């Protein structure tokens, strides 16, 4: 088995190095490239999006070569070996299908629901070919999962696919997570049982292909994975994690795979919290992911990737030790160590944590404070960046108080400048029917760019809706020179270059239960 693993790894490595240049030329002729823009794609030239295709082709060729050489060890067409061959076929079909969906998205930009449908179909293929758990043992008692097994596997696969996909926003990050997790799964399969030797060969081929592709994807990247590659890596790792632990029935067999994908899952959870609690769609584009945070801290693209590699190595080691020693503590400790490092060092996740704390505080306050003692409340959170948006928010907050609005939200999102600021003002709870409230949402514009959105909630009949909107338009017009000056307060070229001077300020939260004192309306004449 060890020799077959080595052959699969080396063959996939060499084949990827050979296939990528061919795929690059093919991609340019078909227009399968990622073009730069002025919003969030800040690379200077068009980059081919064929990394996923090259990796898949190299893996298939490598596995074919390995199985031919070691046919006596892996008689895939033998009747007694057919159940294992059946699962391998399902894995290749699912990866091929998700690769096809990703290539369509990279070329034609599919809608989110269309990609989700493709992911569900790919997950369904895996489940139909036997990728699922049947039971779990807790404290010596076994529980049959039945229908919950299918639900769990669907959730696991979809989370894995999208977590890796969201992390693919900087050179080498998704490739690194795939490389580390494939290597860990290979070691787990070799150590645990001879029955898993085929899994070891498959994951070794994936690791070899990803290492070969990292040659082209290392900063500065000349080829991108694209959605095709990142989704395929997420699906592959999630599926092989199931396969490597499906023979086990204990809690540690579930915790170990979670450790392997803990970093992309943590990044995804933070993104959902950040967007949901600031009133934005979870599909909103921003530059608040882990890789962006590392770059803003001044590490530089290569140093950020090396630090990310070290974190992945820690969680991969924890997951591997948990599987080998059958103790969940190793996986849990590795996950906790990475999260504590990121949170305590205020590298990533600190702003999202403060949003959660504020939400919980507001919920508890609604139970503990009587209505007649409640006062207006406002919170301002700097999630990313270092520009001063406080004066803009103060002007809008005073407008909300003057207009007796129930609520006013300001969400600024400037991904091309690494700026993300959220602020919210709301009056004490009043017994007002939803039918007696009005809600309006407006874009916050500077020139021809939308830099954010403002949401207002008012009371029908108390203040004229049209007068309020007119006054808001005047306020926003008066803020234009200030916003333009704030946006230009730092040289954009420095931001694009990701220099240490662009280090983000720590997430800052200002919370008050007192009304504003005095007037700070801008006089911009």
């Amino acid at each position: 088995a060890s020799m077959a693993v080595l052959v699969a790894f080396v063959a996939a490595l060499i084949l990827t190095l050979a296939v990528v240049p061919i795929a690059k030329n093919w991609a340019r002729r078909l227009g399968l490239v990622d073009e730069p823009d002025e919003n969030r794609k800040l690379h200077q030239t068009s980059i081919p999006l064929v990394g996923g295709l090259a990796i898949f082709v190299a893996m298939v060729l490598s596995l074919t070569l390995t199985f031919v050489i070691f046919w006596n060890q892996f008689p895939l067409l033998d009747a007694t070996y057919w159940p294992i061959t059946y699962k391998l076929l399902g894995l290749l079909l699912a990866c091929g299908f998700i690769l096809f969906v990703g290539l369509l998205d990279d070329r034609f930009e599919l809608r989110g629901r269309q990609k989700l449908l493709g992911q569900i179909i790919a997950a369904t293929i895996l489940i139909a070919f036997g990728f699922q758990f049947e039971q779990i043992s807790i404290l010596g008692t076994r529980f049959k999962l039945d229908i919950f097994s299918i639900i769990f596997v669907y959730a696991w696969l979809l989370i894995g696919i999208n977590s890796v996909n969201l992390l693919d926003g900087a050179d080498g990050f998704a490739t690194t997570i795939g490389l580390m997790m494939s290597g860990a799964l290979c070691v787990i399969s070799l150590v645990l049982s001879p029955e898993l030797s085929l899994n070891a060969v498959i994951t070794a081929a994936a690791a070899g292909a990803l290492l070969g592709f990292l040659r082209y994807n290392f900063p500065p990247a000349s080829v991108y994975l694209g959605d095709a590659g990142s989704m395929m890596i997420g699906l592959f790792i999630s599926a092989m994690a199931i396969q490597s632990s499906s023979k086990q029935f204990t809690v540690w067999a579930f915790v170990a795979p979670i450790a392997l994908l803990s970093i992309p899952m943590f990044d995804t959870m933070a993104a959902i919290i950040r967007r949901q609690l600031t009133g934005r769609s979870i599909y909103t584009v921003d530059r608040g992911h882990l890789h962006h945070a590392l770059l803003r801290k001044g590490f530089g693209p290569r140093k950020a990737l090396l630090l990310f590699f070290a974190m992945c190595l820690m969680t991969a080691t924890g997951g591997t030790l948990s599987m080998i020693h059958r103790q969940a503590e190793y996986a849990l400790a590795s996950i906790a160590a990475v999260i504590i490092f990121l949170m305590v060092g205020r590298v990533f996740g600190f702003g999202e944590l403060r949003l959660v704390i504020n939400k919980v505080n507001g919920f508890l306050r609604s139970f503990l404070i009587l209505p007649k003692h409640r006062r207006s409340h406002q919170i301002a959170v700097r999630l990313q960046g270092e520009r001063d948006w406080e004066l803009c928010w103060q002007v809008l907050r005073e407008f909300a108080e003057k207009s007796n609005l129930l609520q006013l939200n300001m969400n600024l999102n400037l991904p091309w400048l690494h700026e993300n600021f959220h602020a919210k003002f709301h009056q004490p709870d009043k017994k007002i029917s939803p039918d007696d409230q009005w809600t309006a949402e407006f874009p916050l514009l500077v020139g021809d760019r939308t830099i954010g959105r403002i949401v207002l909630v008012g009371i029908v009949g108390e203040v004229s809706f049209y007068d309020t909107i007119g006054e808001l338009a005047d306020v926003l017009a008066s803020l234009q020179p200030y916003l333009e000056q704030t946006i230009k307060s730092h040289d954009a070229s420095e931001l694009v270059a990701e220099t240490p001077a662009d280090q983000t300020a720590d997430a800052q939260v200002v919370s008050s239960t007192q009304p504003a004192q005095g007037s700070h309306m801008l006089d911009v004449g």
Side-chain angles (χ1 to χ4, degrees):
S2 298
M3 184 57 67
V5 166
L6 180 61
V7 170
F9 177 84
V10 174
L13 173 63
I14 295 173
L15 285 166
T16 304
L17 293 173
V19 169
V20 169
I22 300 173
K24 286 171 61 177
N25 295 331
W26 173 79
R28 294 190 185 281
R29 287 198 296 268
L30 294 181
L32 194 61
V33 295
D34 190 24
E35 299 288 356
D37 59 30
E38 296 182 355
N39 187 24
R40 64 188 183 95
K41 299 177 180 180
L42 303 179
H43 47 276
Q44 301 300 310
T45 60
S46 60
I47 305 293
L49 294 167
V50 289
L53 181 62
I55 290 170
F56 182 76
V57 170
M59 281 180 58
V60 172
L61 294 178
S62 170
L63 290 174
T64 301
L65 176 63
T66 303
F67 294 145
V68 169
I69 295 175
F70 297 91
W71 182 256
N72 291 333
Q73 189 172 347
F74 303 104
L76 299 181
L77 300 182
D78 190 276
T80 59
Y81 214 80
W82 176 241
I84 300 177
T85 306
Y86 185 69
K87 278 195 172 184
L88 174 60
L89 178 61
L91 177 65
L92 294 178
L93 286 175
C95 288
F97 181 80
I98 200 69
L99 179 71
F100 173 71
V101 172
L103 288 173
L104 288 178
D105 180 49
D106 289 332
R107 182 62 181 87
F108 302 107
E109 296 186 3
L110 301 180
R111 300 175 66 179
R113 67 186 65 177
Q114 293 172 322
K115 286 200 294 183
L116 179 60
L117 177 61
Q119 294 168 6
I120 292 174
I121 293 175
T124 303
I125 293 173
L126 287 174
I127 292 173
F129 278 79
F131 284 80
Q132 55 186 294
F133 299 98
E134 295 181 358
Q135 54 187 345
I136 182 173
S137 176
I138 301 177
L139 299 176
T141 304
R142 291 190 177 185
F143 300 92
K144 287 189 176 181
L145 296 176
D146 296 327
I147 188 64
F148 294 104
S149 171
I150 297 178
I151 296 174
F152 173 81
V153 173
Y154 268 119
W156 171 256
L157 293 173
L158 293 178
I159 290 172
I161 293 170
N162 289 288
S163 295
V164 176
N165 183 233
L166 287 174
L167 200 60
D168 185 31
D171 297 350
F173 274 70
T175 306
T176 298
I177 192 75
L179 172 61
M180 293 302 302
M181 300 310 107
S182 296
L185 288 168
C186 180
V187 173
I188 290 171
S189 298
L190 281 175
V191 173
L192 278 183
S193 171
E195 297 178 7
L196 298 175
S197 58
L198 180 62
N199 294 349
V201 172
I202 296 171
T203 50
L210 288 163
L211 182 60
F213 179 68
L214 192 59
R215 157 68 178 78
Y216 302 96
N217 197 225
F218 195 79
S222 61
V223 184
Y224 288 162
L225 281 172
D227 276 359
S230 59
M231 289 197 299
M232 185 187 70
I233 290 173
L235 177 72
F236 176 82
I237 294 172
S238 303
M240 293 310 297
I242 293 174
Q243 182 65 8
S244 297
S245 57
S246 61
K247 298 291 184 181
Q248 314 298 327
F249 304 113
T250 56
V251 173
W252 53 263
F254 287 91
V255 175
I258 291 175
L260 300 181
L261 283 169
S262 58
I263 293 178
M265 285 181 176
F266 180 54
D267 179 74
T268 300
M269 181 180 67
I272 292 173
I273 290 173
R274 181 172 62 250
R275 296 165 187 176
Q276 192 69 32
L277 294 187
T278 56
R280 293 179 290 156
S281 167
I282 61 173
Y283 300 105
T284 302
V285 173
D286 63 25
R287 295 181 70 82
H289 292 287
L290 174 58
H291 44 278
H292 298 129
L294 293 174
L295 292 171
R296 286 196 306 274
K297 281 294 182 181
F299 288 104
R302 295 189 176 186
K303 290 182 179 179
L305 182 59
L306 291 175
L307 180 58
F308 179 73
F309 174 86
M311 290 188 289
C312 291
L313 180 61
M314 178 173 291
T315 57
T317 301
T320 302
L321 291 176
S322 285
M323 291 292 286
I324 293 174
H325 297 286
R326 303 188 177 188
Q327 292 182 330
E329 290 79 5
Y330 291 103
L332 294 175
S334 66
I335 295 171
V338 170
I339 293 177
I340 290 173
F341 164 73
L342 293 173
M343 299 285 283
V344 173
R346 296 191 176 185
V347 177
F348 178 74
F350 185 74
E352 289 81 358
L353 175 63
R354 296 306 299 268
L355 284 173
V356 172
I357 291 174
N358 177 72
K359 188 72 173 180
V360 173
N361 284 341
F363 178 75
L364 295 177
R365 193 169 56 247
S366 67
F367 285 98
L368 300 177
I369 301 177
L370 296 176
K372 64 179 181 180
H373 296 302
R374 291 175 185 162
R375 300 179 180 179
S376 61
H377 179 76
Q378 68 100 14
I379 180 171
V381 184
R382 186 193 308 280
L383 292 168
Q384 301 165 254
E386 57 185 12
R387 287 167 170 76
D388 183 12
W389 306 104
E390 295 292 343
L391 186 55
C392 175
W393 167 239
Q394 193 163 347
V395 170
L396 290 171
R397 187 191 67 193
E398 291 173 1
F399 164 76
E401 292 176 336
K402 176 185 174 183
S403 302
N404 198 29
L405 295 175
L406 290 176
Q407 183 175 311
L408 187 146
N409 295 351
M410 182 180 79
N411 292 308
L412 299 179
N413 183 29
L414 298 83
W416 67 96
L417 295 181
H418 310 283
E419 291 285 335
N420 196 331
F421 183 87
H422 167 72
K424 179 180 179 180
F425 166 87
H426 63 88
Q427 296 278 19
D429 295 339
K430 298 180 180 180
K431 294 182 179 179
I432 300 174
S433 168
D435 294 335
D436 294 327
Q437 300 178 16
W438 56 263
T439 302
E441 182 175 338
F442 301 91
L444 191 57
L445 303 172
V446 174
D448 58 351
R449 284 184 182 271
T450 300
I451 67 168
R453 309 197 76 81
I454 296 174
V455 179
L456 287 71
V457 180
I459 305 173
V460 175
E462 186 165 318
V463 178
S464 171
F465 170 79
Y466 298 105
D467 290 344
T468 302
I469 301 306
E471 291 174 7
L472 175 63
D474 293 338
V475 171
L476 294 180
S478 72
L479 285 170
Q480 282 293 306
Y482 169 74
L483 293 173
E484 292 174 0
Q485 181 181 2
T486 302
I487 290 176
K488 296 177 182 178
S489 61
H490 292 268
D491 183 55
S493 63
E494 293 180 357
L495 291 163
V496 172
E498 301 284 4
T499 64
D502 184 44
Q503 294 181 33
T504 182
D506 292 328
Q508 300 173 0
V509 176
V510 179
S511 182
S512 173
T513 56
Q514 301 294 334
Q517 300 295 322
S519 174
H520 298 275
M521 293 295 287
L522 288 180
D523 181 10
V524 292

